[in-house]
Amino acid sequence: MQGKKLFLILKAKYFNLIKSGLKKSEYRLLTEYWLTRLTSYDYKSVVFQLGYAKDAERIEKNIVDIKISTIESELFGGNPIDVFEIVLE
C-alpha cells in the first residue's frame, strides 16, 4: 500500500470488527480538528492500532473514500450527527 497513511488508534471492539472485515467504515466527528487532519493530505490507506501499548497490534486497510455522512449512534445519544466517514476497501 503506497501513499500517505492515516494513523488511528481504536478500542478493541472496533479494531476487531475492522480486522474481521465486518466493519467497512470508521467515523470521526465533523470538527475543525478532523477537517484539517483529513483534508490536508490525499490519504491512500489507514493504519489502525489496538490501543496505546508500545507493541500494540496494527492493521492497514486501503481507503476508498473520505466523505461527510449523517449517522445515528448510541455513542452520541442516538441522535443524527454529521461525521467524516472513512470508507475502507
Side-chain angles (χ1 to χ4, degrees):
M1 293 179 215
Q2 297 296 320
K4 185 75 174 165
K5 296 178 186 182
L6 176 64
F7 186 84
L8 298 174
I9 295 176
L10 298 179
K11 293 181 179 181
K13 173 182 176 180
Y14 305 110
F15 182 90
N16 290 326
L17 286 171
I18 288 171
K19 183 178 176 181
S20 72
L22 293 175
K23 189 171 191 284
K24 298 287 188 182
S25 291
E26 177 59 17
Y27 304 96
R28 291 294 183 260
L29 288 176
L30 188 59
T31 63
E32 281 296 321
Y33 172 80
W34 287 109
L35 175 67
T36 300
R37 185 155 180 214
L38 294 176
T39 60
S40 294
Y41 299 100
D42 182 24
Y43 292 109
K44 302 297 183 194
S45 65
V46 58
V47 176
F48 294 105
Q49 180 174 307
L50 176 58
Y52 289 93
K54 191 175 187 177
D55 60 346
E57 182 179 358
R58 293 180 178 180
I59 54 173
E60 186 173 347
K61 298 284 186 174
N62 286 330
I63 294 174
V64 174
D65 194 14
I66 297 176
K67 61 186 180 179
I68 296 174
S69 299
T70 302
I71 63 169
E72 292 182 20
S73 172
E74 58 196 38
L75 292 174
F76 307 110
N79 298 316
I81 188 161
D82 292 332
V83 296
F84 287 103
E85 180 179 0
I86 303 164
V87 182
L88 308 172
E89 194 170 68

